[in-house]
Amino acid sequence: MSGNHNRSAPHHTERVVGGTTIVELRGEIDILTAPQISARLDILTAGPPRDLVLDLRPVSFIDCAGLSLLCRARNRVLAQHGRLRLVNDSTSFLRILRCAGLAGVFELYSRLPEALFRVPETAVVPAGVG
């Protein structure tokens, strides 16, 4: 197995809209890339209550390490009485959440405007990972 993979390198962009930090993640979120992403999310979720949206639509792959970092970010935000939303319109991602027992744990939206402006309808269930 060659050490030089033709992988989509993870990267992100951040912007603030009306007090909400939007982080668009791109590429693969797996055991190799999760530590870098998790470190950035730890910085973003430190301190006072945060309002955070993670736009995952450009993510091409996510494994259990990626799901773990999402749960960690969610738990850190909720511990400070903040709010975390995920944006993803992929049926594959929804299937992964269901298989991992995480369906219904995250506020999930298919479009960014909905994530920014819709008020949550139900109470949030604690995530077991993180």
Side-chain angles (χ1 to χ4, degrees), residues 106-117:
F106 295 97
E107 274 188 67
L108 188 61
Y109 299 91
S110 60
R111 296 175 356 112
L112 187 57
E114 294 170 353
L116 288 173
F117 303 113

Side-chain angles (χ1 to χ4, degrees), residues 22-112:
I22 302 166
V23 179
E24 180 184 273
L25 297 170
R26 294 183 296 278
E28 298 179 359
I29 304 175
D30 59 17
I31 195 164
L32 296 175
T33 61
Q36 174 190 0
I37 297 166
S38 188
R40 182 62 193 150
L41 292 178
D42 280 356
I43 291 168
L44 290 172
T45 58
R50 300 290 183 195
D51 191 13
L52 186 61
V53 172
L54 300 180
D55 188 350
L56 304 173
R57 292 174 295 171
V59 170
S60 59
F61 176 81
I62 190 166
D63 70 2
C64 59
L67 293 177
S68 179
L69 79 84
L70 294 178
C71 289
R72 177 177 170 80
R74 177 193 172 278
N75 291 343
R76 288 173 56 92
V77 168
L78 291 179
Q80 298 176 24
H81 308 287
R83 186 174 176 205
L84 173 72
R85 277 101 66 211
L86 306 181
V87 179
N88 195 299
D89 55 2
S90 165
T91 55
S92 297
F93 182 70
L94 294 175
R95 188 172 346 127
I96 290 168
L97 289 179
R98 279 194 305 274
C99 289
L102 296 172
V105 169
F106 295 97
E107 274 188 67
L108 188 61
Y109 299 91
S110 60
R111 296 175 356 112
L112 187 57

